[in-house]
mmCIF file of all heavy atoms in Angstrom:
data_model
loop_
_atom_site.group_PDB
_atom_site.id
_atom_site.type_symbol
_atom_site.label_atom_id
_atom_site.label_comp_id
_atom_site.label_asym_id
_atom_site.label_seq_id
_atom_site.Cartn_x
_atom_site.Cartn_y
_atom_site.Cartn_z
ATOM 1 N N MET A 30 7.071 -13.409 -20.906
ATOM 2 C CA MET A 30 6.023 -14.158 -20.386
ATOM 3 C C MET A 30 4.721 -13.567 -20.807
ATOM 4 O O MET A 30 4.623 -12.538 -21.301
ATOM 5 C CB MET A 30 6.082 -14.263 -18.827
ATOM 6 C CG MET A 30 5.721 -12.919 -18.219
ATOM 7 S SD MET A 30 5.550 -13.170 -16.422
ATOM 8 C CE MET A 30 4.804 -11.500 -16.086
ATOM 9 N N SER A 31 3.576 -14.364 -20.669
ATOM 10 C CA SER A 31 2.254 -13.847 -21.061
ATOM 11 C C SER A 31 1.478 -13.614 -19.895
ATOM 12 O O SER A 31 1.921 -13.905 -18.714
ATOM 13 C CB SER A 31 1.591 -14.863 -22.010
ATOM 14 O OG SER A 31 1.379 -16.054 -21.248
ATOM 15 N N CYS A 32 0.187 -13.228 -20.082
ATOM 16 C CA CYS A 32 -0.625 -12.984 -18.957
ATOM 17 C C CYS A 32 -2.115 -13.306 -19.373
ATOM 18 O O CYS A 32 -2.399 -13.324 -20.557
ATOM 19 C CB CYS A 32 -0.546 -11.594 -18.405
ATOM 20 S SG CYS A 32 -1.134 -10.247 -19.555
ATOM 21 N N GLY A 33 -2.998 -13.438 -18.429
ATOM 22 C CA GLY A 33 -4.427 -13.570 -18.742
ATOM 23 C C GLY A 33 -5.035 -12.259 -19.099
ATOM 24 O O GLY A 33 -5.944 -12.191 -19.936
ATOM 25 N N GLY A 34 -4.683 -11.199 -18.432
ATOM 26 C CA GLY A 34 -5.189 -9.875 -18.638
ATOM 27 C C GLY A 34 -4.430 -8.821 -17.927
ATOM 28 O O GLY A 34 -3.618 -9.105 -17.054
ATOM 29 N N ILE A 41 -1.402 -6.780 -13.546
ATOM 30 C CA ILE A 41 -1.290 -7.840 -14.474
ATOM 31 C C ILE A 41 -1.682 -9.196 -13.739
ATOM 32 O O ILE A 41 -1.253 -9.555 -12.666
ATOM 33 C CB ILE A 41 0.263 -7.990 -14.974
ATOM 34 C CG1 ILE A 41 0.654 -6.760 -15.595
ATOM 35 C CG2 ILE A 41 0.526 -9.243 -15.878
ATOM 36 C CD1 ILE A 41 2.113 -6.425 -15.666
ATOM 37 N N THR A 42 -2.709 -9.867 -14.396
ATOM 38 C CA THR A 42 -3.347 -10.921 -13.722
ATOM 39 C C THR A 42 -3.383 -12.161 -14.615
ATOM 40 O O THR A 42 -3.111 -12.257 -15.788
ATOM 41 C CB THR A 42 -4.790 -10.590 -13.412
ATOM 42 O OG1 THR A 42 -5.507 -10.206 -14.664
ATOM 43 C CG2 THR A 42 -4.922 -9.441 -12.522
ATOM 44 N N GLU A 43 -3.686 -13.339 -13.986
ATOM 45 C CA GLU A 43 -3.774 -14.723 -14.602
ATOM 46 C C GLU A 43 -5.060 -15.366 -14.031
ATOM 47 O O GLU A 43 -5.556 -15.000 -12.967
ATOM 48 C CB GLU A 43 -2.471 -15.423 -14.219
ATOM 49 C CG GLU A 43 -2.242 -16.618 -15.101
ATOM 50 C CD GLU A 43 -2.330 -16.436 -16.594
ATOM 51 O OE1 GLU A 43 -1.313 -16.036 -17.197
ATOM 52 O OE2 GLU A 43 -3.358 -16.607 -17.132
ATOM 53 N N ALA A 44 -5.419 -16.380 -14.847
ATOM 54 C CA ALA A 44 -6.673 -17.140 -14.413
ATOM 55 C C ALA A 44 -6.569 -18.123 -13.220
ATOM 56 O O ALA A 44 -7.571 -18.279 -12.520
ATOM 57 C CB ALA A 44 -7.215 -17.865 -15.668
ATOM 58 N N THR A 45 -5.418 -18.654 -13.101
ATOM 59 C CA THR A 45 -5.261 -19.665 -11.916
ATOM 60 C C THR A 45 -4.140 -19.302 -11.018
ATOM 61 O O THR A 45 -3.181 -18.603 -11.463
ATOM 62 C CB THR A 45 -5.091 -20.999 -12.525
ATOM 63 O OG1 THR A 45 -3.824 -21.174 -13.070
ATOM 64 C CG2 THR A 45 -6.176 -21.447 -13.488
ATOM 65 N N LEU A 46 -4.275 -19.715 -9.837
ATOM 66 C CA LEU A 46 -3.160 -19.553 -8.831
ATOM 67 C C LEU A 46 -1.817 -20.275 -9.294
ATOM 68 O O LEU A 46 -0.778 -19.651 -9.105
ATOM 69 C CB LEU A 46 -3.552 -20.111 -7.459
ATOM 70 C CG LEU A 46 -4.604 -19.274 -6.706
ATOM 71 C CD1 LEU A 46 -5.030 -20.120 -5.461
ATOM 72 C CD2 LEU A 46 -4.000 -18.004 -6.286
ATOM 73 N N ALA A 47 -1.919 -21.386 -9.881
ATOM 74 C CA ALA A 47 -0.753 -22.104 -10.287
ATOM 75 C C ALA A 47 -0.030 -21.254 -11.444
ATOM 76 O O ALA A 47 1.161 -21.121 -11.335
ATOM 77 C CB ALA A 47 -1.168 -23.486 -10.891
ATOM 78 N N GLN A 48 -0.778 -20.747 -12.364
ATOM 79 C CA GLN A 48 -0.139 -19.918 -13.439
ATOM 80 C C GLN A 48 0.435 -18.692 -12.807
ATOM 81 O O GLN A 48 1.626 -18.310 -13.197
ATOM 82 C CB GLN A 48 -1.207 -19.514 -14.462
ATOM 83 C CG GLN A 48 -1.591 -20.693 -15.369
ATOM 84 C CD GLN A 48 -2.827 -20.301 -16.248
ATOM 85 O OE1 GLN A 48 -3.706 -19.577 -15.824
ATOM 86 N NE2 GLN A 48 -2.774 -20.829 -17.475
ATOM 87 N N ALA A 49 -0.239 -17.986 -11.965
ATOM 88 C CA ALA A 49 0.281 -16.826 -11.346
ATOM 89 C C ALA A 49 1.522 -17.129 -10.558
ATOM 90 O O ALA A 49 2.488 -16.295 -10.566
ATOM 91 C CB ALA A 49 -0.790 -16.143 -10.460
ATOM 92 N N SER A 50 1.598 -18.185 -9.844
ATOM 93 C CA SER A 50 2.638 -18.549 -8.949
ATOM 94 C C SER A 50 3.946 -18.758 -9.817
ATOM 95 O O SER A 50 5.019 -18.276 -9.462
ATOM 96 C CB SER A 50 2.363 -19.832 -8.208
ATOM 97 O OG SER A 50 3.473 -20.200 -7.439
ATOM 98 N N VAL A 51 3.827 -19.508 -10.940
ATOM 99 C CA VAL A 51 4.943 -19.745 -11.824
ATOM 100 C C VAL A 51 5.405 -18.398 -12.360
ATOM 101 O O VAL A 51 6.675 -18.135 -12.411
ATOM 102 C CB VAL A 51 4.527 -20.631 -12.937
ATOM 103 C CG1 VAL A 51 5.645 -20.681 -14.041
ATOM 104 C CG2 VAL A 51 4.270 -22.040 -12.391
ATOM 105 N N LYS A 52 4.558 -17.500 -12.781
ATOM 106 C CA LYS A 52 4.964 -16.202 -13.357
ATOM 107 C C LYS A 52 5.619 -15.271 -12.324
ATOM 108 O O LYS A 52 6.543 -14.533 -12.603
ATOM 109 C CB LYS A 52 3.805 -15.662 -14.104
ATOM 110 C CG LYS A 52 3.484 -16.490 -15.312
ATOM 111 C CD LYS A 52 2.342 -16.086 -16.107
ATOM 112 C CE LYS A 52 2.212 -17.087 -17.319
ATOM 113 N NZ LYS A 52 1.049 -16.811 -18.068
ATOM 114 N N LYS A 53 5.046 -15.306 -11.056
ATOM 115 C CA LYS A 53 5.759 -14.546 -9.988
ATOM 116 C C LYS A 53 7.153 -15.009 -9.793
ATOM 117 O O LYS A 53 8.035 -14.193 -9.593
ATOM 118 C CB LYS A 53 4.896 -14.712 -8.707
ATOM 119 C CG LYS A 53 3.666 -13.889 -8.715
ATOM 120 C CD LYS A 53 2.972 -14.125 -7.429
ATOM 121 C CE LYS A 53 1.573 -13.464 -7.351
ATOM 122 N NZ LYS A 53 0.891 -13.638 -6.151
ATOM 123 N N THR A 54 7.322 -16.286 -9.813
ATOM 124 C CA THR A 54 8.683 -16.793 -9.640
ATOM 125 C C THR A 54 9.602 -16.387 -10.880
ATOM 126 O O THR A 54 10.794 -16.054 -10.657
ATOM 127 C CB THR A 54 8.704 -18.360 -9.515
ATOM 128 O OG1 THR A 54 7.901 -18.690 -8.415
ATOM 129 C CG2 THR A 54 10.142 -18.902 -9.370
ATOM 130 N N MET A 55 9.026 -16.429 -12.011
ATOM 131 C CA MET A 55 9.784 -15.951 -13.257
ATOM 132 C C MET A 55 10.199 -14.475 -13.128
ATOM 133 O O MET A 55 11.349 -14.165 -13.405
ATOM 134 C CB MET A 55 8.976 -16.150 -14.489
ATOM 135 C CG MET A 55 8.780 -17.637 -14.808
ATOM 136 S SD MET A 55 7.463 -17.790 -16.220
ATOM 137 C CE MET A 55 8.216 -17.016 -17.569
ATOM 138 N N ILE A 56 9.342 -13.641 -12.584
ATOM 139 C CA ILE A 56 9.629 -12.249 -12.488
ATOM 140 C C ILE A 56 10.672 -12.042 -11.348
ATOM 141 O O ILE A 56 11.616 -11.262 -11.625
ATOM 142 C CB ILE A 56 8.349 -11.488 -12.032
ATOM 143 C CG1 ILE A 56 7.398 -11.428 -13.263
ATOM 144 C CG2 ILE A 56 8.686 -10.060 -11.467
ATOM 145 C CD1 ILE A 56 6.029 -10.873 -13.023
ATOM 146 N N LYS A 57 10.526 -12.795 -10.264
ATOM 147 C CA LYS A 57 11.607 -12.665 -9.198
ATOM 148 C C LYS A 57 12.897 -12.977 -9.626
ATOM 149 O O LYS A 57 13.947 -12.454 -9.204
ATOM 150 C CB LYS A 57 11.053 -13.568 -8.076
ATOM 151 C CG LYS A 57 11.953 -13.475 -6.877
ATOM 152 C CD LYS A 57 11.528 -14.451 -5.746
ATOM 153 C CE LYS A 57 12.532 -14.521 -4.642
ATOM 154 N NZ LYS A 57 12.013 -15.578 -3.633
ATOM 155 N N ASN A 58 13.054 -13.939 -10.523
ATOM 156 C CA ASN A 58 14.358 -14.477 -10.930
ATOM 157 C C ASN A 58 14.892 -13.940 -12.228
ATOM 158 O O ASN A 58 16.053 -14.281 -12.682
ATOM 159 C CB ASN A 58 14.363 -16.053 -10.944
ATOM 160 C CG ASN A 58 14.191 -16.614 -9.632
ATOM 161 O OD1 ASN A 58 14.924 -16.322 -8.699
ATOM 162 N ND2 ASN A 58 13.069 -17.410 -9.375
ATOM 163 N N ALA A 59 14.152 -13.134 -12.933
ATOM 164 C CA ALA A 59 14.525 -12.664 -14.289
ATOM 165 C C ALA A 59 15.413 -11.345 -14.183
ATOM 166 O O ALA A 59 15.301 -10.509 -13.328
ATOM 167 C CB ALA A 59 13.282 -12.299 -15.028
ATOM 168 N N GLN A 61 15.470 -9.431 -16.857
ATOM 169 C CA GLN A 61 14.665 -8.512 -17.682
ATOM 170 C C GLN A 61 13.263 -9.093 -17.733
ATOM 171 O O GLN A 61 13.158 -10.297 -18.058
ATOM 172 C CB GLN A 61 15.256 -8.179 -19.033
ATOM 173 C CG GLN A 61 14.436 -7.180 -19.795
ATOM 174 C CD GLN A 61 15.133 -6.794 -21.144
ATOM 175 O OE1 GLN A 61 15.938 -7.539 -21.643
ATOM 176 N NE2 GLN A 61 14.841 -5.578 -21.585
ATOM 177 N N ARG A 62 12.246 -8.306 -17.469
ATOM 178 C CA ARG A 62 10.911 -8.886 -17.501
ATOM 179 C C ARG A 62 10.165 -8.251 -18.636
ATOM 180 O O ARG A 62 9.754 -7.069 -18.664
ATOM 181 C CB ARG A 62 10.273 -8.422 -16.219
ATOM 182 C CG ARG A 62 11.023 -9.138 -14.999
ATOM 183 C CD ARG A 62 10.859 -8.482 -13.753
ATOM 184 N NE ARG A 62 11.215 -7.030 -13.924
ATOM 185 C CZ ARG A 62 11.760 -6.299 -12.997
ATOM 186 N NH1 ARG A 62 12.131 -6.848 -11.857
ATOM 187 N NH2 ARG A 62 12.061 -5.104 -13.249
ATOM 188 N N ILE A 63 9.920 -9.159 -19.639
ATOM 189 C CA ILE A 63 9.095 -8.793 -20.849
ATOM 190 C C ILE A 63 7.723 -9.421 -20.890
ATOM 191 O O ILE A 63 7.670 -10.651 -20.795
ATOM 192 C CB ILE A 63 9.916 -9.088 -22.083
ATOM 193 C CG1 ILE A 63 11.272 -8.382 -22.098
ATOM 194 C CG2 ILE A 63 9.069 -8.783 -23.380
ATOM 195 C CD1 ILE A 63 12.214 -8.840 -23.189
ATOM 196 N N LEU A 64 6.712 -8.591 -21.046
ATOM 197 C CA LEU A 64 5.351 -9.196 -20.957
ATOM 198 C C LEU A 64 4.811 -9.174 -22.371
ATOM 199 O O LEU A 64 4.931 -8.120 -23.104
ATOM 200 C CB LEU A 64 4.474 -8.371 -20.089
ATOM 201 C CG LEU A 64 2.977 -8.657 -20.097
ATOM 202 C CD1 LEU A 64 2.821 -10.047 -19.373
ATOM 203 C CD2 LEU A 64 2.258 -7.607 -19.274
ATOM 204 N N LEU A 65 4.249 -10.220 -22.902
ATOM 205 C CA LEU A 65 3.670 -10.361 -24.140
ATOM 206 C C LEU A 65 2.176 -10.399 -23.911
ATOM 207 O O LEU A 65 1.664 -11.350 -23.230
ATOM 208 C CB LEU A 65 4.146 -11.645 -24.836
ATOM 209 C CG LEU A 65 3.514 -11.926 -26.211
ATOM 210 C CD1 LEU A 65 3.829 -10.842 -27.271
ATOM 211 C CD2 LEU A 65 3.996 -13.205 -26.753
ATOM 212 N N CYS A 66 1.402 -9.411 -24.495
ATOM 213 C CA CYS A 66 -0.022 -9.444 -24.200
ATOM 214 C C CYS A 66 -0.732 -8.806 -25.469
ATOM 215 O O CYS A 66 -0.504 -7.760 -25.917
ATOM 216 C CB CYS A 66 -0.287 -8.456 -23.014
ATOM 217 S SG CYS A 66 -2.005 -8.249 -22.577
ATOM 218 N N LYS A 70 -6.532 -8.873 -24.458
ATOM 219 C CA LYS A 70 -6.319 -9.014 -23.018
ATOM 220 C C LYS A 70 -6.333 -7.688 -22.255
ATOM 221 O O LYS A 70 -6.238 -7.655 -20.993
ATOM 222 C CB LYS A 70 -5.147 -9.842 -22.689
ATOM 223 C CG LYS A 70 -5.225 -11.258 -23.239
ATOM 224 C CD LYS A 70 -3.966 -11.934 -23.063
ATOM 225 C CE LYS A 70 -4.056 -13.431 -23.617
ATOM 226 N NZ LYS A 70 -2.800 -14.130 -23.396
ATOM 227 N N PHE A 75 -8.353 -10.804 -14.187
ATOM 228 C CA PHE A 75 -8.599 -12.266 -13.714
ATOM 229 C C PHE A 75 -8.316 -12.250 -12.139
ATOM 230 O O PHE A 75 -7.841 -11.283 -11.595
ATOM 231 C CB PHE A 75 -7.706 -13.184 -14.381
ATOM 232 C CG PHE A 75 -8.147 -13.460 -15.858
ATOM 233 C CD1 PHE A 75 -7.791 -12.658 -16.850
ATOM 234 C CD2 PHE A 75 -8.996 -14.495 -16.127
ATOM 235 C CE1 PHE A 75 -8.217 -12.801 -18.142
ATOM 236 C CE2 PHE A 75 -9.418 -14.726 -17.371
ATOM 237 C CZ PHE A 75 -9.122 -13.846 -18.449
ATOM 238 N N CYS A 77 -6.165 -13.867 -10.102
ATOM 239 C CA CYS A 77 -4.889 -14.028 -9.505
ATOM 240 C C CYS A 77 -3.897 -12.993 -10.083
ATOM 241 O O CYS A 77 -3.608 -12.891 -11.265
ATOM 242 C CB CYS A 77 -4.319 -15.442 -9.826
ATOM 243 S SG CYS A 77 -5.500 -16.694 -9.295
ATOM 244 N N LYS A 78 -3.431 -12.132 -9.154
ATOM 245 C CA LYS A 78 -2.502 -11.093 -9.563
ATOM 246 C C LYS A 78 -1.065 -11.634 -9.729
ATOM 247 O O LYS A 78 -0.601 -12.414 -8.860
ATOM 248 C CB LYS A 78 -2.520 -10.021 -8.476
ATOM 249 C CG LYS A 78 -1.621 -8.769 -8.879
ATOM 250 C CD LYS A 78 -1.886 -7.772 -7.973
ATOM 251 C CE LYS A 78 -1.475 -6.376 -8.716
ATOM 252 N NZ LYS A 78 -2.343 -5.311 -8.204
ATOM 253 N N ILE A 79 -0.455 -11.315 -10.841
ATOM 254 C CA ILE A 79 0.984 -11.673 -11.095
ATOM 255 C C ILE A 79 1.865 -10.552 -10.495
ATOM 256 O O ILE A 79 2.732 -10.875 -9.738
ATOM 257 C CB ILE A 79 1.215 -11.820 -12.554
ATOM 258 C CG1 ILE A 79 0.398 -12.962 -13.178
ATOM 259 C CG2 ILE A 79 2.665 -12.096 -12.855
ATOM 260 C CD1 ILE A 79 0.410 -13.112 -14.645
ATOM 261 N N CYS A 80 1.556 -9.356 -10.942
ATOM 262 C CA CYS A 80 2.430 -8.201 -10.501
ATOM 263 C C CYS A 80 1.823 -6.845 -10.827
ATOM 264 O O CYS A 80 0.744 -6.808 -11.473
ATOM 265 C CB CYS A 80 3.867 -8.319 -11.054
ATOM 266 S SG CYS A 80 3.867 -8.121 -12.905
ATOM 267 N N GLU A 81 2.588 -5.828 -10.431
ATOM 268 C CA GLU A 81 2.122 -4.416 -10.725
ATOM 269 C C GLU A 81 2.881 -4.042 -12.042
ATOM 270 O O GLU A 81 3.862 -4.616 -12.488
ATOM 271 C CB GLU A 81 2.508 -3.451 -9.614
ATOM 272 C CG GLU A 81 1.685 -3.722 -8.464
ATOM 273 C CD GLU A 81 0.238 -3.386 -8.512
ATOM 274 O OE1 GLU A 81 -0.081 -2.623 -9.525
ATOM 275 O OE2 GLU A 81 -0.513 -3.754 -7.662
ATOM 276 N N GLU A 84 6.814 -3.497 -12.201
ATOM 277 C CA GLU A 84 7.705 -4.674 -12.223
ATOM 278 C C GLU A 84 8.003 -5.219 -13.582
ATOM 279 O O GLU A 84 8.737 -6.147 -13.763
ATOM 280 C CB GLU A 84 7.038 -5.823 -11.340
ATOM 281 C CG GLU A 84 6.844 -5.378 -9.884
ATOM 282 C CD GLU A 84 6.158 -6.473 -9.103
ATOM 283 O OE1 GLU A 84 6.837 -7.521 -8.796
ATOM 284 O OE2 GLU A 84 5.010 -6.322 -8.755
ATOM 285 N N ILE A 85 7.367 -4.632 -14.638
ATOM 286 C CA ILE A 85 7.569 -5.040 -16.008
ATOM 287 C C ILE A 85 8.585 -4.023 -16.733
ATOM 288 O O ILE A 85 8.444 -2.765 -16.614
ATOM 289 C CB ILE A 85 6.210 -5.002 -16.796
ATOM 290 C CG1 ILE A 85 5.265 -6.030 -16.202
ATOM 291 C CG2 ILE A 85 6.490 -5.228 -18.295
ATOM 292 C CD1 ILE A 85 5.816 -7.422 -16.257
#
Side-chain angles (χ1 to χ4, degrees):
M30 72 171 191
S31 63
C32 68
I41 299 159
T42 58
E43 193 53 86
T45 69
L46 286 172
Q48 291 171 321
S50 177
V51 167
K52 291 174 182 181
K53 285 179 183 183
T54 301
M55 291 170 65
I56 288 170
K57 180 180 175 183
N58 294 300
Q61 188 173 23
R62 296 154 309 214
I63 300 172
L64 179 65
L65 178 62
C66 181
K70 297 177 181 179
F75 285 87
C77 305
K78 186 170 205 149
I79 298 171
C80 65
E81 295 291 345
E84 297 177 74
I85 297 300

